[in-house]
Amino acid sequence: MTDLFREIAQVLSHNKLRTALTGIAVTWGIFMLIVLLSMARGVTNSFQENMASRNMSIIRIWGGNTTIPYKGNREGRRIRFKDGDLKRLAADNPRYVAEVSSRIDGQGTISTSGAHIDQSYSGVFPSIKEQSNVGDMVEGRFINSRDMDEKAKVMVIPQYYASQLFPPEGKGALGGRVNCAGLSFLVVGVYESEWNRDIYIPFTTARMMSADRENLGTLTVSLKNVTNEKEGEEAEAGVKKTLSNIHNFDPTDENAVYISNYYTNALSANSAMGILDVSVWVLGILTLLTGIVGVSNIMFVTVRERTHEIGIRRAIGAKPRKILTQVITESVAITLLFGYIGIVLGMIVSQIIAVAFGSMLVNPTVSFSIAFEVMGVLVVAGALAGLFPALKALKVKPVEALRDE
């Protein structure tokens, strides 16, 4: 083993400049692979965290304008959803539809005896908490089914507004009373969120307060029993067919209603993340190939310069396998040495990226498992780089090698 390390050191020191330039190419290739992998991991983690914080088994639907005449109806009709659509969609599609909900937004002054804010409120179903990242409940609870049934005058507010309406710092907000649109509401919950500032009341209460008692805005369909893209598409087709029957528009009319299938979109995005990972590996390995070719060239030169030595070893009985192992081992050692430097530099830079872009990329670092995979790539690459020079060394004939000067 000591002799092997000595021979490797000799190979490295014999042509310092050439070895250094080749080593830089290997280091750069591994460095770029690690950095690209860390950034791809950050993007993937951000996507997965976003998906995990929201229920993606939903379909959202917006009303549009018909562009195809249908059953005596002219094109250009505005499709407006009604309360009855909520129950009809669930009844006609029991296999895939768990619940259909909507949202009513209203504007008004929300006040207490000592403060007020001009802020819109949203009438929502309890399921919105699972459908979107509302925030973490600091105190109390969210809207529930009993509030819906009783058309209760209850409200859930963010900590941001609780601090303004109930100073200092929102103390006393839970159980407090606020006035909204001439009605007194009981604050039953306070939540904390970095970005969400919505104020929530029961959908049925908002419907009672709304000037428009007939029309709805966006419909949200919560899905069940969907496990693959085909079932997600079947659920979407069933929902659109029901709406076309209710509102008498051509099912093929893409402008009558606009549908966003979050489930199939998430599956497509997951596939895109997988393609991103593969692309990063391909680009990194292609960059690494530049350095590997250089290592292979060094080993060719080394074999040529040590032809006499190889001939002597063959003449005194060294087996071809030993010569082959020596050349390949030297190639792997060179690749690992400079590759390890690239790994260290790449992981340092990935940590810098994590600090600099932590708000956009979630944990953009390379795990030890990825580092070991990269080391495996280095071993294979080094072995391939030394294979052809090693095969050339095996072709050296002892008699001719001993004559070589």
Side-chain angles (χ1 to χ4, degrees), residues 247-290:
H247 296 281
N248 291 316
F249 64 82
D250 193 321
T252 63
D253 190 346
E254 296 183 356
N255 295 308
V257 293
Y258 301 103
I259 299 178
S260 178
N261 192 328
Y262 283 46
Y263 183 79
T264 56
N265 291 345
L267 292 180
S268 299
N270 274 326
S271 299
M273 292 298 103
I275 294 172
L276 174 63
D277 284 339
V278 172
S279 300
V280 166
W281 274 102
V282 170
L283 289 173
I285 290 175
L286 288 176
T287 305
L288 179 61
L289 281 177
T290 304

Side-chain angles (χ1 to χ4, degrees), residues 72-369:
N73 295 302
R74 300 181 61 182
E75 70 274 15
R77 281 189 305 120
R78 177 69 177 171
I79 301 300
R80 299 183 183 276
F81 302 131
K82 310 293 183 180
D83 285 348
D85 297 353
L86 304 180
K87 294 181 179 180
R88 179 76 179 273
L89 282 170
D92 287 3
N93 301 275
R95 180 180 178 184
Y96 293 125
V97 176
E99 181 193 52
V100 185
S101 60
S102 187
R103 175 173 178 154
I104 297 175
D105 293 318
Q107 186 70 39
T109 299
I110 298 173
S111 63
T112 61
S113 58
H116 73 276
I117 57 173
D118 292 322
Q119 178 63 27
S120 62
Y121 59 86
S122 297
V124 297
F125 283 68
S127 55
I128 193 175
K129 196 170 189 302
E130 286 71 41
Q131 292 169 0
S132 60
N133 187 13
V134 170
D136 299 323
M137 298 303 299
V138 178
E139 294 182 296
R141 61 173 177 82
F142 198 68
I143 305 298
N144 59 31
S145 57
R146 183 176 178 179
D147 297 330
M148 295 282 290
D149 294 338
E150 297 179 354
K151 300 179 182 179
K153 299 180 184 63
V154 295
M155 183 176 290
V156 177
I157 62 177
Q159 181 66 48
Y160 178 80
Y161 290 132
S163 300
Q164 298 180 35
L165 293 171
F166 298 91
E169 300 180 357
K171 295 185 183 298
L174 183 64
R177 287 279 176 177
V178 297
N179 295 317
C180 178
L183 300 174
S184 177
F185 282 79
L186 174 68
V187 177
V188 295
V190 179
Y191 70 89
E192 182 66 66
S193 175
E194 293 183 2
W195 58 271
N196 190 14
R197 297 288 185 267
D198 287 347
I199 294 174
Y200 300 107
I201 65 174
F203 174 85
T204 51
T205 306
R207 168 58 89 193
M208 179 184 65
M209 297 166 59
S210 175
D212 185 350
R213 300 292 180 88
E214 298 182 356
N215 300 313
L216 295 176
T218 305
L219 301 183
T220 300
V221 179
S222 298
L223 301 178
K224 62 181 180 179
N225 303 325
V226 287
T227 57
N228 53 54
E229 186 172 1
K230 180 181 178 181
E231 291 176 346
E233 291 174 348
E234 288 177 357
E236 179 181 337
V239 165
K240 187 169 185 179
K241 181 179 179 181
T242 297
L243 289 174
S244 71
N245 292 334
I246 296 173
H247 296 281
N248 291 316
F249 64 82
D250 193 321
T252 63
D253 190 346
E254 296 183 356
N255 295 308
V257 293
Y258 301 103
I259 299 178
S260 178
N261 192 328
Y262 283 46
Y263 183 79
T264 56
N265 291 345
L267 292 180
S268 299
N270 274 326
S271 299
M273 292 298 103
I275 294 172
L276 174 63
D277 284 339
V278 172
S279 300
V280 166
W281 274 102
V282 170
L283 289 173
I285 290 175
L286 288 176
T287 305
L288 179 61
L289 281 177
T290 304
I292 299 306
V293 170
V295 173
S296 184
N297 288 335
I298 281 184
M299 297 315 298
F300 269 117
V301 174
T302 300
V303 168
R304 181 177 180 82
E305 292 176 346
R306 296 167 64 185
T307 301
H308 193 69
E309 174 191 336
I310 293 172
I312 293 175
R313 290 189 176 187
R314 293 289 303 278
I316 62 177
K319 295 181 179 181
R321 184 177 63 182
K322 187 173 183 181
I323 301 298
L324 183 71
T325 301
Q326 178 187 345
V327 177
I328 291 178
T329 303
E330 290 179 4
S331 175
V332 170
I334 293 172
T335 307
L336 281 176
L337 173 62
F338 289 104
Y340 180 75
I341 296 173
I343 290 176
V344 172
L345 293 176
M347 295 187 77
I348 291 173
V349 171
S350 69
Q351 292 293 334
I352 295 173
I353 292 174
V355 174
F357 301 97
S359 60
M360 295 181 289
L361 302 176
V362 176
N363 192 24
T365 55
V366 176
S367 64
F368 284 107
S369 62

